[in-house]
């Protein structure tokens, strides 16, 4: 209200009363509406508790109480597989129950949905809400889509898994969106605008909700669909048997449970040799013929797996520079919670929304950063890519040939002059890997226990992909064990830097989904983010960094993406 209208009010007392009355009514209506909107939001929020991509729900004391389980079903399942019941603390028990609840995914109303009634991305266009509006950098905007089936009828339930990003190809700019499932066939996707220009929207249906049900069934019923083996050797005799995390105990078996973490692992007993003759661990194979009845229809690459959803109307918005642009970012320090979105690419460089990412464009800058450091890279092949990138790019950091297979490790690289040591270890079983000696496959938790730590120690790890074929419970337990070790490490050496790389998305040609779907990874990733919340570790959000990028999804992202991951990593090692 400006000064003029106020003074005119006082000049005309009668119209003032009318005006006041009107204002009062308008206010009342507004208040009522706001109250309604608030309620509406609250109910959406509650029903979508497990749905919000980021930020993850924080556990308050009320929720904690509600989460108090009658029985720890998740530990019971583990105990059946050889985990020791007494090894779980009460906190770990209720945390696991909470996490299982957190990642619950809605079911279609009935289990046998005919294919014609399943989600059809080709009939389900998205619309940009308020697309004609002028948007500024820093604004948020929303995309809506309603899912239809193959008969052209709208769907009445949710549970489809979508991924979305905004991008400007000419600027090599991109950022991931946050999907909200309204669980009635409608989906909303939020994007934060971080650069000016013509910003396009891309949405993928990763799996229809009916396909997710199949993935869930396989995860529960067929955890052995990837199987492993070990060779036992003594002198000239050698035998090979099947191994897994949980083995049917129908025949004699060997117990290779790790004594320190209590994490089980079993192999069938060789006929001649003793269990102690085991020398290695090997990925043995993938079981085939996993799908039953109609299930195959839900995994058709050109139809309903990672299938683009097309726009109805405009597929872009125009974004103007913000008058209040130029946020001052802090230096990167561990212990901060992840923001949503975590960042965006601009000119193919990842910009974090939480801190200043340094550029490490030349080998010299990396050497300067790592001088005097002891670097441990632990996990799977997606973080082994960091080791490979660094040793290829920084010529002074020489890979020392330990005689191990490139894809198995362990690996060591040294820069004697600059006192840099970098080691890579693949994480312990389960892991799909070429033959690797038992001694060369440490559990991350045990490795951490063996590291003294200190201001010159840097540890980066990732773990997710090789748990994709298992129920979530063993993954929760693995992370709890890793977290125990991190906390011990940070107690004895608080200056140690621990960096966690999240999962990343990948290509899903037919069948890869059944063993390694992004949906499996996504569920584990949610658990990982929650597990390490509030402790003094840093994250590299490879999940968003691979969704946001213009290159096609791949399990092993191309080197431009790895370069960006490493720049985030090194920004924590050597902040500006
Ligand atoms: C496991 O331990 C919990 C808590 O101590 C106990 O309630 C439960 O009965 C135990 N289960 C088994 C199978 O021993
Ligand atoms: C395997 O060995 C561990 C100790 O090493 C033991 O606690 C556990 O009960 C054993 N499991 C089975 C199934 O024999
Ligand atoms: C994204 O936009 C929303 C709404 O404006 C805002 O609350 C949130 O903080 C933004 N996220 C980041 C990381 O800036």
């Amino acid at each position: 209200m400006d000064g003029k209208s106020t003074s005119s009010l006082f000049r005309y007392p009668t119209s003032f009363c009318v005006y006041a009355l009107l204002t009062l009514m308008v206010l009342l209506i507004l208040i009522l509406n706001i109250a309604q909107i608030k309620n509406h939001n609250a109910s959406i929020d509650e029903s979508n508790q497990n749905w919000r991509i980021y930020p993850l729900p924080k556990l308050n004391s009320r929720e904690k109480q509600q989460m108090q389980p009658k029985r720890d079903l998740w530990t019971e399942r583990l105990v059946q597989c050889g985990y020791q019941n007494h090894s779980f603390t009460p906190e770990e028990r209720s945390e696991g129950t909470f996490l299982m609840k957190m990642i619950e995914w809605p079911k279609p109303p009935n289990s046998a949905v005919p294919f014609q009634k399943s989600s059809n991305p080709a009939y389900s266009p998205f619309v940009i809400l308020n697309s004609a509006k002028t948007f500024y950098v820093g604004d948020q905007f929303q995309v809506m889509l309603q899912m239809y089936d193959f008969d052209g009828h709208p769907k009445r339930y949710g549970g489809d898994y979508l991924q979305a990003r905004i991008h400007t190809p000419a600027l090599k700019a991109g950022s991931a969106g946050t999907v909200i499932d309204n669980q009635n066939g409608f989906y909303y996707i939020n994007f934060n605008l971080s650069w000016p220009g013509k910003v396009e929207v891309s949405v993928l249906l990763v799996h229809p909700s009916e396909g997710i049900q199949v993935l869930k069934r396989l995860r529960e019923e067929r955890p052995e669909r990837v199987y492993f083996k070990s060779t036992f050797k003594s002198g000239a005799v050698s035998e090979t048997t099947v191994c897994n995390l949980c083995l049917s105990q129908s025949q004699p078996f060997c117990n290779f449970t790790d004594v320190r973490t209590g994490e089980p692992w079993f192999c069938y007993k060789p006929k001649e040799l003793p269990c102690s003759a085991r020398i290695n661990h090997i990925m043995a194979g993938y079981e085939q013929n996993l799908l039953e009845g109609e299930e195959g229809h839900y995994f058709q690459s050109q139809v309903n797996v990672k299938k683009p959803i097309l726009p109805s109307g405009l597929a872009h918005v125009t974004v103007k520079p913000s008058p209040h642009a130029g946020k001052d970012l802090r230096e990167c320090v561990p212990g901060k919670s992840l923001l949503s979105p975590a960042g965006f690419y601009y000119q193919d460089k990842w910009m974090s929304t939480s801190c200043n990412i340094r550029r490490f464009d030349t080998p010299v800058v990396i050497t300067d950063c790592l001088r005097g450091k002891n670097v441990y890279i632990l996990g799977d092949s997606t973080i082994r890519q960091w080791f490979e990138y660094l040793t290829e790019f920084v010529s002074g950091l020489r890979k020392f040939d330990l005689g191990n297979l490139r894809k198995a490790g362990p690996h060591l690289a040294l820069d004697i002059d600059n006192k840099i040591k970098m080691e890579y270890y693949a994480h312990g079983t389960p892991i799909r890997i070429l033959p690797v000696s038992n001694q060369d496959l440490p559990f991350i938790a045990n490795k951490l226990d063996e590291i003294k730590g200190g201001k010159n120690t840097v540890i980066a790890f990732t773990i997710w992909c090789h748990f994709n074929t298992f129920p979530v419970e063993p993954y929760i337990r693995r992370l709890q064990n890793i977290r125990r070790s991190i906390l011990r490490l940070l107690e004895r050496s608080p200056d140690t830097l621990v960096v966690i790389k999240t999962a990343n998305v990948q290509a899903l040609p037919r069948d890869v989904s059944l063993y390694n779907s992004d949906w499996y990874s996504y569920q584990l990733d949610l658990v990982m983010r929650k597990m390490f919340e509030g402790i003094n570790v840093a994250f590299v959000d490879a999940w968003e960094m691979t969704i946001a990028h213009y290159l096609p999804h791949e399990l092993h992202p191309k080197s431009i993406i790895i370069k960006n991951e490493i720049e985030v990593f090194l920004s924590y090692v050597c902040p500006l």
Side-chain angles (χ1 to χ4, degrees):
M1 248 196 312
D2 59 21
K4 225 194 286 168
S5 57
T6 325
S7 62
S8 63
L9 281 181
F10 288 104
R11 239 180 283 150
Y12 306 101
T14 42
S15 69
F16 169 70
C17 282
V18 175
Y19 194 88
L21 213 72
L22 270 173
T23 312
L24 212 73
M25 278 173 66
V26 167
L27 259 173
L28 209 72
I29 291 170
L30 259 175
I31 289 170
L32 282 174
N33 266 334
I34 287 171
Q36 258 175 9
I37 290 169
K38 272 202 171 143
N39 279 336
H40 182 63
N41 278 345
S43 65
I44 289 180
D45 280 348
E46 266 157 41
S47 58
N48 289 326
Q49 264 280 301
N50 315 315
W51 282 88
R52 241 175 286 133
I53 299 196
Y54 320 116
L56 290 169
K58 271 232 161 50
L59 209 57
N60 61 35
S61 57
R62 185 179 56 86
E63 280 172 326
K64 265 185 196 151
Q65 250 168 16
Q66 284 173 349
M67 288 300 166
Q68 277 309 312
K70 293 193 185 62
R71 283 166 66 205
D72 301 306
L73 289 175
W74 80 282
T75 55
E76 277 178 28
R77 288 193 62 171
L78 291 178
V79 169
Q80 280 165 14
C81 268
Y83 290 76
Q84 292 299 297
N85 192 39
H86 60 76
S87 69
F88 297 87
T89 67
E91 292 75 23
E92 287 171 344
R93 282 176 194 279
S94 50
E95 176 184 49
T97 307
F98 167 78
L99 291 169
M100 293 303 289
K101 182 103 190 124
M102 182 186 87
I103 59 164
E104 253 174 29
W105 199 266
K107 288 191 179 71
N110 52 58
S111 53
V113 179
F115 177 64
Q116 283 296 113
K117 297 285 174 204
S118 72
S119 306
N120 179 2
Y123 286 0
S124 313
F126 69 81
V127 283
I128 298 177
L129 302 179
N130 304 315
S131 60
K133 208 185 121 183
T134 306
F135 288 102
Y136 293 91
V137 169
D139 286 351
Q140 195 174 50
F141 81 105
Q142 212 168 34
V143 162
M144 186 199 77
L145 76 89
Q146 186 178 17
M147 199 59 77
Y148 283 77
D149 65 18
F150 285 85
D151 287 334
H153 296 132
K155 295 200 59 183
R156 303 287 176 212
Y157 56 88
D160 299 298
Y161 176 43
L162 307 170
Q163 289 169 354
R165 68 185 175 109
I166 45 174
H167 54 117
T168 301
L171 297 172
K172 295 191 170 171
S175 184
T178 304
V179 180
I180 299 158
D181 180 350
N182 262 29
Q183 301 205 30
N184 56 3
F186 285 92
Y187 296 83
Y188 291 86
I189 308 169
N190 293 329
F191 297 100
N192 286 30
L193 292 164
S194 301
W195 65 90
K198 181 181 165 192
V199 173
E200 299 171 32
V201 176
S202 294
V203 181
L204 291 176
L205 174 73
V206 183
H207 291 295
S209 53
E210 297 78 10
I212 302 278
Q213 294 314 303
V214 179
L215 296 178
K216 269 164 95 170
R217 181 183 73 73
L218 294 175
R219 191 169 67 179
E220 298 305 310
E221 296 175 9
R222 304 294 297 273
E224 78 308 341
R225 67 194 180 283
V226 169
Y227 54 101
F228 305 91
K229 55 189 185 182
S230 273
T231 303
F232 297 76
K233 191 167 181 289
S234 178
V237 187
S238 113
E239 289 178 77
T240 297
T241 70
V242 166
C243 309
N244 220 321
L245 188 59
C246 203
L247 270 191
S248 125
Q249 297 178 359
S250 54
Q251 42 176 306
F253 60 90
C254 299
N255 180 353
F256 296 114
T257 298
D258 177 65
V259 286
R260 289 192 273 170
T261 58
E263 303 236 13
W265 190 257
F266 302 98
C267 298
Y268 287 123
K269 199 170 181 319
K271 294 218 159 51
E272 291 181 38
L273 295 173
C275 292
S276 55
R278 175 174 176 249
I279 58 165
N280 66 9
H281 168 78
I282 319 164
M283 148 87 185
Y286 294 89
E287 290 204 337
Q288 307 294 323
N289 304 322
L290 299 168
L291 299 178
E292 297 168 355
E294 293 249 293
E295 288 177 346
H297 294 313
Y298 301 125
F299 298 94
Q300 303 178 61
S301 294
Q302 298 309 311
V303 178
N304 52 14
V305 177
K306 283 230 168 152
K307 176 77 181 166
I309 288 184
L310 298 173
S312 128
L314 278 187
H316 70 266
V317 293
T318 305
V319 183
K320 298 198 164 159
S322 163
H324 337 278
K327 239 202 302 184
D328 277 337
L329 290 175
R330 292 153 300 154
E331 65 175 34
C332 296
V333 290
K336 297 276 183 286
S337 52
L338 281 153
L339 293 181
S340 147
F344 61 95
Y345 287 102
Y346 191 78
Q347 306 286 13
D348 236 353
K349 294 182 191 327
W350 183 256
M351 321 288 277
S352 158
T353 30
S354 56
C355 66
N356 252 315
I357 303 302
R358 275 184 68 183
R359 300 301 152 195
F360 293 86
D361 289 320
T362 61
V364 174
V365 190
I366 296 180
T367 302
D368 282 345
C369 172
L370 293 180
R371 184 168 295 114
K373 303 272 189 226
N374 222 331
V375 184
Y376 296 88
I377 297 178
L378 312 172
D380 60 33
S381 57
T382 66
I383 203 161
R384 194 187 73 226
Q385 288 185 280
W386 290 13
F387 182 94
E388 287 171 356
Y389 179 93
L390 287 169
T391 49
E392 276 157 29
F393 187 64
V394 185
S395 54
L397 190 54
R398 290 253 182 77
K399 202 174 149 186
F400 188 86
D401 187 4
L402 298 173
N404 299 322
L405 296 170
R406 181 176 81 84
K407 291 188 172 181
H411 297 306
L412 169 67
L414 295 169
D415 178 339
I416 306 279
D417 294 337
N418 292 293
K419 302 187 175 62
I420 304 171
K421 183 172 98 178
M422 184 167 73
E423 294 172 72
Y424 164 79
Y425 289 90
H427 68 68
T429 54
I431 188 164
R432 304 171 209 148
I433 199 166
L434 298 169
V436 57
S437 317
N438 302 332
Q439 293 82 356
D440 288 341
L441 212 53
F443 283 107
I444 292 175
N446 291 341
K447 195 77 210 163
L448 293 173
D449 285 344
E450 288 161 12
I451 295 172
K452 186 167 58 178
K455 68 176 179 359
N456 287 324
T457 303
V458 177
I459 298 158
F461 76 87
T462 195
I463 183 165
W464 50 284
C465 188
H466 299 272
F467 283 80
N468 276 346
T469 43
F470 292 93
V472 181
E473 290 90 339
Y475 184 69
I476 294 178
R477 191 58 184 154
R478 180 63 55 96
L479 294 192
Q480 286 179 333
N481 278 321
I482 292 174
R483 187 180 52 192
R484 283 184 183 192
S485 295
I486 292 178
L487 292 175
R488 281 195 288 260
L489 172 61
L490 294 179
E491 277 297 314
R492 65 178 175 271
S493 304
D495 296 338
T496 315
L497 176 66
V498 179
V499 179
I500 304 177
K501 184 186 88 73
T502 73
N504 55 258
V505 297
Q506 60 181 295
L508 297 178
R510 201 189 155 84
D511 285 0
V512 171
S513 304
L514 308 183
Y515 309 99
N516 232 352
S517 165
D518 281 355
W519 180 76
Y520 292 133
S521 310
Y522 174 57
Q523 290 239 295
L524 299 187
D525 205 50
L526 290 177
V527 169
M528 172 186 301
R529 286 160 193 263
K530 190 78 194 165
M531 184 71 67
F532 296 106
E533 195 179 80
I535 52 177
N536 204 23
V537 295
F539 287 94
V540 175
D541 199 330
W543 189 260
E544 285 201 8
M545 292 175 77
T546 46
I547 287 184
H549 204 267
Y550 55 85
L551 283 172
H553 297 177
E554 287 189 75
L555 175 56
H556 299 121
K558 289 272 182 290
S559 95
I560 179 66
I561 296 176
I562 300 301
K563 173 179 196 285
N564 277 290
E565 289 177 2
I566 284 176
E567 288 186 333
V568 179
F569 166 49
L570 293 181
S571 294
Y572 286 98
V573 183
C574 315
L576 260 184

